[in-house]
Amino acid sequence: MWERARRVAGRMAEVAQTGSTNADLAAAIARGEEWPHLGALLTHDQRAGRGRLDRRWVAPPGDALALSVVVRVPRLPLAARGWIPLAAGVAMRDAIAAQISAERVGLKWPNDVLVGPDLRKICGVLAEGTADPDAVIVGTGVNTRLDPADLPVETATSFPALGLVCDEDALVADYLTGLDALLDGLASAGGDAVASGAHAAATAACLTLDRDVSVALPDGSTLRGRAAAIAPDGRLVVESTGARVAVSAGDVVHVR
């Protein structure tokens, strides 16, 4: 198992069960353990995973893949590191699309992977800093094995719900390869997402654009309007009451 993924990962470990792969990697780095670029920790039984806004991310044991990856970005300017979670979303979207070619696959800004004509969520992404200022942990949760009867909400989906069997080894290998390429391109372009192609890739994959949206902002307020563009720095540009507002963080809902 994981033959392809191990050839790409800087280091790879699988655990039978844990609270949070992100938290485990963060603690290991704080202890001084050697986790190189693209070092990956994964499990099919995560008990205390988190998503954005500290939401819990849980699935029945054995039904979903929790994967956390260390990315080391000393060449990437601090101002450009907001692109890391977006790059991760693009890379995972591409890895999933390679196995779900008959379905529409895209991103809800910044990095939820949505699938199918009704755009149900199959993967979430959470990037977090570490004790090492040049190391970021990118956690992903993918519904690779989740039975349709166990889907937590009606807006979720899984490979089995789509009638498919996920090749998890290929998924992880493709994801790591794509993530590495996007981050290397960003670093080589001095953090310029437009010059590197990361901006174009995210724009092409983003299903939020040209939709009416409701954005729950960190300060508790709600922004309603039309998602117009992804800014060069990765923020979502929303047209609202005649103004263009750039959102750096928030929970986006596509208004149907």
Side-chain angles (χ1 to χ4, degrees):
M1 185 63 171
W2 311 117
E3 291 181 6
R4 283 189 55 188
R6 289 185 188 280
R7 289 197 290 268
V8 183
R11 172 183 174 183
M12 192 163 183
E14 181 176 8
V15 294
Q17 181 269 324
T18 189
S20 164
T21 52
N22 265 27
D24 289 350
L25 273 185
I29 290 172
R31 291 193 301 266
E33 287 187 21
E34 181 57 37
W35 280 89
H37 180 61
L38 299 186
L41 177 65
L42 58 86
T43 187
H44 287 98
D45 188 359
Q46 177 170 258
R47 303 294 178 89
R50 294 186 301 111
R52 285 191 302 276
L53 305 180
D54 274 336
R55 292 193 177 111
R56 294 181 67 223
W57 186 87
V58 295
D63 282 357
L65 176 66
L67 168 69
S68 293
V69 178
V70 178
V71 293
R72 294 194 174 273
V73 289
R75 296 189 299 130
L76 191 63
L78 287 174
R81 293 185 185 182
W83 268 95
I84 293 173
L86 280 80
V90 171
M92 185 56 82
R93 178 264 168 208
D94 291 348
I96 290 173
Q99 299 192 37
I100 311 183
S101 57
E103 297 283 353
R104 184 183 186 188
V105 186
L107 296 175
K108 184 181 79 170
W109 183 91
N111 49 31
D112 284 346
V113 184
L114 309 181
V115 175
D118 48 1
L119 301 181
R120 298 191 178 198
K121 182 175 175 179
I122 198 168
C123 172
V125 180
L126 178 67
E128 298 182 289
T130 72
D132 182 336
D134 289 328
V136 175
I137 295 170
V138 182
T140 58
V142 191
N143 294 333
T144 54
R145 306 179 183 180
L146 195 60
D147 188 275
D150 292 326
L151 292 169
V153 292
E154 66 177 14
T155 54
T157 191
S158 66
F159 277 82
L162 297 168
L164 299 170
V165 175
C166 178
D167 182 339
E168 293 182 326
D169 187 22
L171 182 79
V172 175
D174 289 348
Y175 167 63
L176 293 178
T177 300
L179 178 59
D180 188 39
L182 285 165
L183 295 180
D184 183 66
L186 272 169
S188 297
D192 188 331
V194 174
S196 76
H199 181 271
T203 297
C206 188
L207 301 171
T208 301
L209 301 180
D210 298 321
R211 284 178 173 269
D212 291 330
V213 296
S214 174
V215 187
L217 300 174
D219 65 2
S221 64
T222 299
L223 174 67
R224 296 179 176 85
R226 189 83 169 173
I230 296 176
D233 61 4
R235 292 184 295 172
L236 180 67
V237 179
V238 178
E239 293 181 346
S240 177
T241 61
R244 289 169 68 90
V245 181
V247 176
S248 58
D251 190 30
V252 175
V253 174
H254 293 170
V255 179
R256 298 182 184 277

